[in-house]
Amino acid sequence: MKKILFISLIVVPLIAISQQQPVIWYFGHKAGLDFSSGSPVAITNGKVDQWEGVATACDIDGNLLFYTDGIKVWNKNHVVMANGNGLYGNSSTTQSATVVPVPGNSNQYYLFTLPEHYAYGGFRYSIVDLTLNGGLGDIGAIKNVLLTDSATEQCAVITSSTGCVWILIRSIGATWRSYLIDSSGIQTPVLSTSGSIFSWNDANGVGYMKASPQHNKIGIANYGFSVTSSFFELYDFNNATGIVSNAFKLQPITPSSVYACEFSPDGNLFYGAQWGTQIYQYDLNAGTPTDIQNSALVIGTAPSSQGAMQIAPDGKIYCSADGQGSISQILNPNVAGSGCNYVSNSISLNGKTTGIGLPSLEVFSTCNIIAPTNPPSFNASDTTLCEKFCINFFDSSTNNPVAWEWIFEGASPATSSLQNPIGICYQDPGAYDVTLITTNANGNSDTLILDNYITVFSNPFAPTITQNGNVITSSFAYTYQWQLNGINIPGATDQSYTITQDGLYTVIVTNENGCGSQASFAAILSGIENVNAEIDFTFYPNPSNGNFVISFLNATISGEVWIDVVNALGQNVYSWKGNISFPFQKEIQLNNAADGIYFLHLKTETISFQQKILISK
């Protein structure tokens, strides 16, 4: 479980919130699961023997603190806590107990209880104080405090947009009570009216109530004494005001009483279970309420009367069917259709058995808490660079992190778990955020987001080079540097340069942001040709794109002739041998040769000569 702080460039008071399952569950008839390793492991040391609602409390590091059935509270040593008897929950209450940590106090927990189906007891709370009895805890003077005597068996905890916590219940009629829990205590409830009207003379309000992980919807399974009075119902929830609204019903495919429900972790799907055995999935993105109803499908069949459905720390949904020695799973609850992969009786409980309840989630609130004075920090080898360049990042946090999660907007790679990532490359111009999330040895995480931290400038277009006589000229740029055969020419920093020898000339140009580009050009001193007076011929065009023609203009040469073309490194790129007679014309094709200077060698039995040629495509 993590406390997450979002830090901007200016440190201001901020909010942190963590809402998830405790990693240790006790439920049913002395059954238990431990998720601390990442996967569920059956545990059998629990004392709770409860058919329906239970709750477990773990600290933010996942350590067991206490657990309860709403009637008794056991401490971490599995002994009934001092003054931990006589609470007003019930073994036959859907959500008999709910635990909420006291905001800003890591040693105290609210323990809320609900009675069985409108029986005596009402909605009450007690405070578990873990500073008492050597850390084993005690329920002191604040015990069984009545909040309202008009309560169903349903309860949900949901995060407030202020960073605090709401706890919601249904009352008689269509009344909702939303109690804000903040650092000053439990506030006067916000009342709203939405959905079906619940009466005393039916099993209305029996069955689970769940809040979506996105904090914006509520769902219930209403058991009812008859098929016609049993249904699922969904509502919108305003986590800023506590108002419940926009109710609509969903019916099971096969008419039957329903008992359990749950949202997918991404909030796009809604799961519900018959009191019989069928388990349903509804697509909340299908469209209208009618479309959502029509999206219903059966994803599995429970081994017996299906009880609670609960998202676990591993992101899967666990399903408890009555009286089983194993528990079932929905392995991929974010996947619509059969791909969600319901598996019946997949996790053995090592000799213990289920009831129809599972522990509800916990909400850790730090509303009204000031951000720490030592948030994460980092720096980079450069914060301005040109496109297609790479930089390095360095963690400089002082909050003793042991793990790092970097997010590089617009970069490749886009993420890293290294403390000091290197070679982070930006391909496109723009301004990009950088995020660093650090985690300490206790599992607490802090987040630093620097907006537009990296600025990437465009590179200029590659220049073009032209030659006029012995002067080569670049297209316009901000700065220039000429090179000959890859070596800078001292002082050659103007747009034009007068060559003094043949060679491969390169110009490196930059724009006003210092970003560069370059182009190369094979230049030949104008007017220098190798001429052999004994041979009257033409050789054209020169320069060319790689295709040349040799023409002999007189009949003084006949017989066998050898023609070779070599590059500047002396490597042969073309050879031909044959007999010639007047008139003679030969085409030489060097289409695949790279741009540069080459030399044509021609010889007969009596003469030879060399001609410099230039290829420039």
Side-chain angles (χ1 to χ4, degrees):
M1 301 178 185
K2 300 178 179 178
K3 292 180 179 177
I4 301 174
L5 296 173
F6 295 90
I7 312 296
S8 64
L9 288 174
I10 301 173
V11 178
V12 295
L14 297 171
I15 292 167
I17 190 74
S18 176
Q19 178 174 327
Q20 58 189 71
Q21 265 287 350
V23 297
I24 296 175
W25 294 7
Y26 290 106
F27 57 92
H29 307 294
K30 299 186 179 180
L33 291 174
D34 185 347
F35 291 85
S36 59
S37 66
S39 298
V41 176
I43 49 178
T44 58
N45 57 355
K47 301 299 182 183
V48 68
D49 190 359
Q50 167 75 316
W51 193 48
E52 295 196 64
V54 290
T56 304
C58 294
D59 64 18
I60 59 174
D61 298 319
N63 300 307
L64 175 66
L65 299 176
F66 61 90
Y67 55 99
T68 178
D69 58 4
I71 306 166
K72 295 180 181 180
V73 183
W74 289 265
N75 64 28
K76 63 184 179 181
N77 292 337
H78 310 286
V79 176
V80 175
M81 186 176 291
N83 203 26
N85 283 297
L87 302 180
Y88 283 90
N90 191 281
S91 62
S92 186
T93 300
T94 307
Q95 290 171 286
S96 176
T98 302
V99 171
V100 177
V102 174
N105 189 331
S106 61
N107 293 310
Q108 292 186 341
Y109 288 74
Y110 291 107
L111 199 170
F112 296 91
T113 59
L114 284 166
E116 180 187 12
H117 187 51
Y118 307 126
Y120 174 77
F123 183 47
R124 297 175 181 264
Y125 77 94
S126 305
I127 291 183
V128 176
D129 190 343
L130 296 175
T131 64
L132 304 177
N133 292 324
L136 295 177
D138 189 355
I139 297 178
I142 303 177
K143 182 177 181 180
N144 291 328
V145 178
L146 181 66
L147 291 170
T148 179
D149 58 4
S150 177
T152 68
E153 293 186 12
Q154 299 172 324
C155 177
V157 181
I158 191 166
T159 302
S160 165
S161 62
T162 65
C164 299
V165 177
W166 296 100
I167 186 163
L168 288 73
I169 65 165
R170 278 288 304 258
S171 290
I172 292 302
T175 301
W176 290 81
R177 296 175 183 267
S178 302
Y179 296 84
L180 181 67
I181 304 173
D182 61 17
S183 57
S184 61
I186 302 172
Q187 304 303 312
T188 302
V190 175
L191 303 181
S192 53
T193 301
S194 184
S196 301
I197 298 175
F198 285 2
S199 63
W200 290 103
N201 58 1
D202 199 347
N204 291 317
V206 175
Y208 270 89
M209 177 191 295
K210 291 298 180 77
S212 72
Q214 288 67 41
H215 324 309
N216 62 354
K217 290 187 181 298
I218 300 292
I220 67 166
N222 189 59
Y223 180 78
F225 280 153
S226 65
V227 171
T228 57
S229 63
S230 188
F231 51 84
F232 304 107
E233 198 159 55
L234 292 174
Y235 317 79
D236 288 340
F237 179 70
N238 186 322
N239 61 29
T241 65
I243 297 296
V244 179
S245 61
N246 299 327
F248 66 91
K249 287 183 180 180
L250 294 173
Q251 300 292 344
I253 296 174
T254 302
S256 174
S257 292
V258 299
Y259 181 78
C261 62
E262 180 61 288
F263 291 88
S264 61
D266 65 8
N268 293 326
L269 302 171
F270 181 73
Y271 292 90
Q274 281 183 328
W275 179 240
T277 56
Q278 287 187 329
I279 299 174
Y280 302 110
Q281 182 194 80
Y282 300 83
D283 185 352
L284 300 183
N285 292 327
T288 66
T290 300
D291 295 330
I292 295 172
Q293 175 66 60
N294 292 337
S295 74
L297 59 99
V298 177
I299 62 160
T301 300
S304 61
S305 297
Q306 180 58 56
M309 309 172 73
Q310 178 62 55
I311 299 173
D314 60 4
K316 302 170 185 176
I317 293 178
Y318 287 72
C319 307
S320 180
D322 189 28
Q324 300 295 306
S326 302
I327 197 164
S328 304
Q329 297 169 288
I330 300 175
L331 299 179
N332 305 303
N334 288 333
V335 176
S338 60
C340 68
N341 198 6
Y342 169 79
V343 182
S344 181
N345 281 347
S346 53
I347 305 294
S348 171
L349 297 176
N350 283 355
K352 306 301 181 181
T353 58
T354 59
I356 56 173
L358 289 174
S360 57
L361 55 76
E362 292 175 272
V363 174
F364 288 84
S365 167
T366 56
C367 51
N368 306 323
I369 301 300
I370 304 300
T373 58
N374 59 339
S377 63
F378 61 84
N379 53 68
S381 56
D382 206 340
T383 58
T384 58
L385 63 152
C386 303
E387 60 180 307
K388 306 187 189 309
F389 277 75
C390 305
I391 55 176
N392 304 325
F393 288 84
F394 308 97
D395 169 55
S396 55
S397 303
T398 59
N399 55 350
N400 300 315
V402 296
W404 299 263
E405 180 183 354
W406 297 82
I407 302 173
F408 305 109
E409 181 187 19
S412 178
T415 61
S416 175
S417 59
L418 298 176
Q419 181 178 8
N420 300 307
I422 62 174
I424 307 302
C425 304
Y426 291 84
Q427 301 296 321
D428 301 310
Y432 300 104
D433 300 347
V434 176
T435 300
L436 173 60
I437 304 170
T438 59
T439 304
N440 65 19
N442 293 323
N444 298 325
S445 296
D446 298 319
T447 300
L448 172 63
I449 302 174
L450 296 186
D451 297 331
N452 300 328
Y453 182 66
I454 300 298
T455 300
V456 181
F457 295 115
S458 299
N459 293 328
F461 291 112
T464 57
I465 302 173
T466 56
Q467 181 174 1
N468 185 8
N470 292 327
V471 177
I472 52 178
T473 301
S474 168
S475 54
F476 179 77
Y478 194 72
T479 68
Y480 313 86
Q481 173 62 61
W482 291 93
Q483 295 179 336
L484 173 59
N485 298 327
I487 300 173
N488 284 353
I489 303 172
T493 57
D494 294 327
Q495 187 174 1
S496 297
Y497 177 72
T498 301
I499 66 173
T500 58
Q501 64 183 86
D502 299 345
L504 184 66
Y505 287 84
T506 299
V507 63
I508 300 172
V509 300
T510 66
N511 59 21
E512 61 275 14
N513 294 315
C515 297
S517 186
Q518 66 182 52
S520 297
F521 182 81
I524 298 177
L525 280 172
S526 162
I528 298 179
E529 296 289 342
N530 293 332
V531 178
N532 189 319
E534 298 183 39
I535 303 176
D536 186 11
F537 76 100
T538 60
F539 182 83
Y540 62 92
N542 190 17
S544 85
N545 63 0
N547 293 330
F548 300 88
V549 176
I550 299 175
S551 293
F552 295 96
L553 304 178
N554 58 35
T556 59
I557 298 176
S558 62
E560 196 169 48
V561 65
W562 291 264
I563 299 175
D564 294 289
V565 178
V566 298
N567 61 22
L569 300 177
Q571 299 166 328
N572 193 287
V573 298
Y574 177 86
S575 293
W576 183 84
K577 177 182 177 181
N579 292 311
I580 64 172
S581 58
F582 178 80
F584 176 79
Q585 180 171 290
K586 176 66 178 176
E587 183 178 359
I588 299 175
Q589 295 183 341
L590 301 176
N591 294 324
N592 295 325
D595 289 3
I597 298 172
Y598 295 81
F599 298 93
L600 170 72
H601 297 285
L602 185 148
K603 70 176 183 177
T604 68
E605 294 178 352
T606 58
I607 62 173
S608 66
F609 75 97
Q610 176 177 289
Q611 170 71 43
K612 185 188 297 181
I613 60 178
L614 175 66
I615 295 176
S616 179
K617 298 183 178 67

